[in-house]
Every structure is written in C-alpha cells, then in structure tokens.
Amino acid sequence: MTMARRDALAALAGVAATTCAAAATPGAMRAGAGSADGLNALAAAKGRRFGSCVAWSPPAANRGSFANPAYAALLTRDCGLLVAENEMKWRALRPSATRFDFARFDAIMAWATAHGLPVRGHNLLWHQPKWMPAWEETHDFGARPAIAAAALLTEHVTTVCRRYGTRIASYDVVNEAVDPADATLYQTALSRALGGAAPTLDLAFHTARRAAPHAQLVYNDYMSWEPDNARHRAGVLTLLEGFRARGVPVDALGVQSHLVTQGTGMSAAALEPEWRRFLDAVTAMGYDLVITELDVRDNRLPADPIVRDRGVADYTRAYLDIMLAYPRLRDILVWGMTDRYSWIEGFEPRKDGVRRRPCPYDDRFAPKPMRAAIAAALTAAPARA
Ligand code: 9MR
C-alpha cells in the first residue's frame, strides 16, 4: 500500500468515525442534513443549505462518485443538497434525437433519495455548440425547422422535468448562454433552426415552468468578480433584463463561483465594490442568487501548499462574507469536495506543475483551511428568514 493510499484511508476513517458517532446520537443526524458537525448543519442554522456536485461511477471506483465510499463519506458528512456533475446534461441523457438514457442520473437520484439528500437539476440546456451532443450540431430539422426545433427542446425539458417531478426543486434551466468574448448569446444548430438564441432560451424557461411549476428556475453562468469578467457580467445583466422585459419565468441567477486568486497585487477587498454593483443590479430585478459551483483556482500564489491553502481560504472567506450578506442567497454548492477529483487540474494545470488545490478537502480527503473558511463564513452569516 502506498503512503498516499494509507493516509487517505486514515483520513477517511476519521470522517467515518465522526459520521458514525453523529449517527449514533439520537437526533444528531437528520435525513438530508449531513452530520451534526458538517457544513450543512452550520448552513441550516442560518436558514441555508450547503452541497456539492457528485458523479456517477461503477462501485468503488476512484472517482468523485456516490459509489466511492471515500467520497460518499464527505457528502453525507457535509452536504444537504447535491447536483450531478455531468449526468443530466444533454450529452449524457441524449445519445440521439430520439432516445433518452437516464440510467446514470437515476442511480444518482436513487442514492441521494436513500440518504435524504435533495438534488438540483444541472442542466436542461447548455446553450453552446461545443457542449451540445455532437448529433445536435448536424441534426436535420427538416422542412419546418422552427417547429421541429421547438418540438425537440420542449420534449427534452418536459421529459426530464416530468420524470423527476417534485423530487427536483431547482433547475439550471439554461447554462452559460453568454459568450464572454463579446457579451452576445451563443447560437447552436437548435437556436438557428428555432429562429434565434433568445427565443430558444425563453422557450426552455417557459417549458420548464409548465412541466415543473413547483421548481426554482435558474439561469446559471460563470461571470465572476475578477476584473477580466466585466464584459461577461454586462452580457449576463443584459440577458437578465431581457428575461424580465419579455416576462420569461426565471427565478434566480446561478453564480457558479469558479474563483481565481489574484496574488498579492489585488486583494478581495479591491474586487468587492464592482461585484456588489453587479449583485445589486441582479437582485434589484427580483432575482434570487444561488452559488452553484464554488471552487478556487490558486493562481499567482506560490507553490508552498501551506501558503496557497491560506490564500485560497482567505479569498473564499472574503467572497462568502459578501455573498452571505445577500438575503436572496440560500444555497451554496461546491464543484467537488476534494482536490483529488476536481475538473480544474485537467482544465488549467498550474504553470509550475504542482497540483491544484481548489476544494475544501485535499487529495487525501483531509479537510483544508478552505473548509474551515466556509465553516467560519456560515457561522458568521446573518440568519435568513
Ligand atoms: O466538471 C465538469 C467536467 O467533468 C465536464 O467534463 C465538463 C463538460 O461537461 O463540465 C464540467 O462542469 C462544468 C459545469 O457543468 C458548468 N460550469 C462549468 C463546470 C466546469 O467546467
């Protein structure tokens, strides 16, 4: 057995022991609330929820999956809410225009339900050509393309929403429709056939409202508070204004929160005024806020893990303090509990080659200062009615 593996097992034994101890105490472990010392318990005390994404895998695979006992122990300790990392996307659910494959997402739902954990829906339409299934971009929409495209989208949204009914109470109906390069809306084969991007997004929301009238309907995007996001933020504001002007049923903005540390040159405090102006504009239009995918890219920080973890934790704390000051924010989800399975290593590795440390737990499943920062922010947060 390698040292890393032994350490991982030892750390897990610690998590498992805490979880079991909580379960043995009557009332300490409530269904869907995580363990008594978990992050969701701290969130719940303030009328909020804490959660994470989860993946599907075969049993015991080394993945960020419910079927990996090591990862599942983190979820049941800290989470009161889950979201599937990939398994509800068109690419996962739609092998072709005429078929659905719900097997993997159903398995996530079954595990979550058995553990009393609600699940968010992510997503009903990721409106970019590169994230739609390959068949969609070459699909033949026939002689009446607008009608065929509307039918395809309506059928997709309706089928997913009806299948899960009230078991899913919040959907990212549309994901990342704004191009950060120029603040315009992406087009797909679907939207070109349907007659434009805005009518396509509107139809997705109207259909979701009809098929899941109980659910919170979210527009989800990654415009963040760092300065190079200004154009993206402006594009999202324009989209949100358009939704209101056209009477489209959108309840909340999903603020993904893939944060990027700025080194010592720019503190979180310097980012705050502009970020608050954005959040104020969003909430003034009547939108709620959801933190849907929090993690931190440790850019411009030295390789030393102690220094880096401190920088990430402080940045996370400053960010959450601002976000938690908004009563319109209830749910906070991280995009993965441990560094071990985070998407960031594959997306943007550090230039110096040391592994990224973006999540609350390290790659040996030990809690990091980022987890303590989230706990401290939740503890200090104003209670929500
Ligand atoms: O973490 C996800 C990764 O495993 C997938 O390969 C990728 C493409 O489906 O999507 C990642 O999740 C994204 C999320 O769905 C939307 N916001 C950005 C996330 C990170 O790329």
Side-chain angles (χ1 to χ4, degrees):
M1 194 189 294
T2 64
M3 180 74 115
R5 175 102 180 113
R6 225 177 6 247
D7 289 354
L9 291 175
L12 269 175
V15 170
T18 326
T19 309
C20 293
T25 318
M29 179 94 124
R30 283 172 292 132
S35 69
D37 66 345
L39 293 175
N40 188 62
L42 298 175
K46 299 297 170 68
R48 301 167 198 267
R49 297 188 294 185
F50 179 84
S52 171
C53 72
V54 56
W56 177 92
S57 77
N62 186 14
R63 292 274 315 277
S65 154
F66 66 89
N68 171 1
Y71 195 73
L74 300 182
L75 298 178
T76 52
R77 177 187 185 182
D78 276 334
C79 294
L81 182 64
L82 299 179
V83 62
E85 184 168 4
N86 291 306
E87 290 76 1
M88 191 189 259
K89 296 169 183 173
W90 280 57
R91 279 186 164 219
L93 289 188
R94 299 302 299 273
S96 76
T98 50
R99 284 205 305 124
F100 285 83
D101 178 357
F102 289 107
R104 291 181 175 191
F105 187 73
D106 279 355
I108 290 178
M109 282 300 285
W111 186 86
T113 306
H115 290 80
L117 289 162
V119 177
R120 297 196 66 242
H122 172 83
N123 53 61
L124 296 175
L125 181 64
W126 190 343
H127 199 244
Q128 290 182 33
K130 77 170 171 183
W131 298 122
M132 292 296 274
W135 62 259
E136 180 270 350
E137 283 302 298
T138 53
H139 186 64
D140 179 4
F141 287 93
R144 299 162 77 193
I147 291 173
L152 181 71
L153 178 59
T154 307
E155 184 203 20
H156 182 86
V157 172
T158 306
T159 304
V160 176
C161 290
R162 291 233 176 105
R163 183 177 185 88
Y164 299 105
T166 52
R167 287 188 291 158
I168 295 187
S170 175
Y171 281 99
D172 294 333
V173 177
V174 174
N175 191 49
E176 298 172 21
V178 175
D179 184 345
D182 60 6
T184 61
L185 296 177
Y186 289 105
Q187 292 276 3
T188 57
L190 177 79
S191 67
R192 277 190 295 272
L194 201 139
T200 303
L201 311 189
D202 294 2
L203 179 62
F205 279 104
H206 283 295
T207 309
R209 182 61 100 219
R210 263 197 307 277
H214 61 279
Q216 176 193 51
L217 304 185
V218 179
Y219 173 73
N220 189 47
D221 211 332
Y222 61 87
M223 72 289 117
S224 193
W225 69 341
E226 289 83 17
D228 53 352
N229 285 237
R231 186 169 293 154
H232 198 180
R233 288 194 297 268
V236 168
L237 281 183
T238 302
L239 178 64
L240 295 180
E241 282 159 14
F243 286 145
R244 285 293 182 253
R246 300 191 296 274
V248 183
V250 184
D251 301 313
L253 174 65
V255 184
Q256 291 186 5
S257 309
H258 295 295
L259 307 183
V260 185
T261 53
Q262 302 292 301
T264 47
M266 178 171 291
S267 70
L271 305 175
E272 180 171 347
E274 197 54 43
W275 183 236
R276 277 187 180 274
R277 268 193 287 283
F278 173 75
L279 297 174
D280 290 347
V282 172
T283 53
M285 286 188 260
Y287 292 103
D288 289 330
L289 302 170
V290 187
I291 294 182
T292 49
E293 308 181 11
L294 173 66
D295 56 23
V296 185
R297 234 170 293 163
D298 47 16
N299 285 7
R300 302 188 202 174
L301 290 175
D304 179 348
I306 294 175
V307 180
R308 250 187 316 146
D309 283 358
R310 187 72 264 143
V312 165
D314 292 346
Y315 199 69
T316 305
R317 174 71 200 270
Y319 179 78
L320 288 179
D321 282 350
I322 297 167
M323 296 301 287
L324 288 162
Y326 285 80
R328 283 185 174 275
L329 177 81
R330 180 187 54 173
D331 295 333
I332 298 148
L333 294 98
V334 290
W335 207 240
M337 296 295 287
T338 132
D339 298 342
R340 191 177 188 113
Y341 307 119
S342 170
W343 68 289
I344 287 178
E345 190 63 38
F347 173 73
E348 189 193 321
R350 275 178 63 102
K351 293 194 178 70
D352 59 11
V354 300
R355 268 189 74 85
R356 292 283 191 182
R357 300 177 66 83
C359 299
Y361 289 83
D362 72 11
D363 58 4
R364 298 172 176 195
F365 299 86
K368 291 162 51 194
M370 181 181 172
R371 184 186 183 280
I374 297 169
L378 290 169
T379 303
R384 225 176 140 264

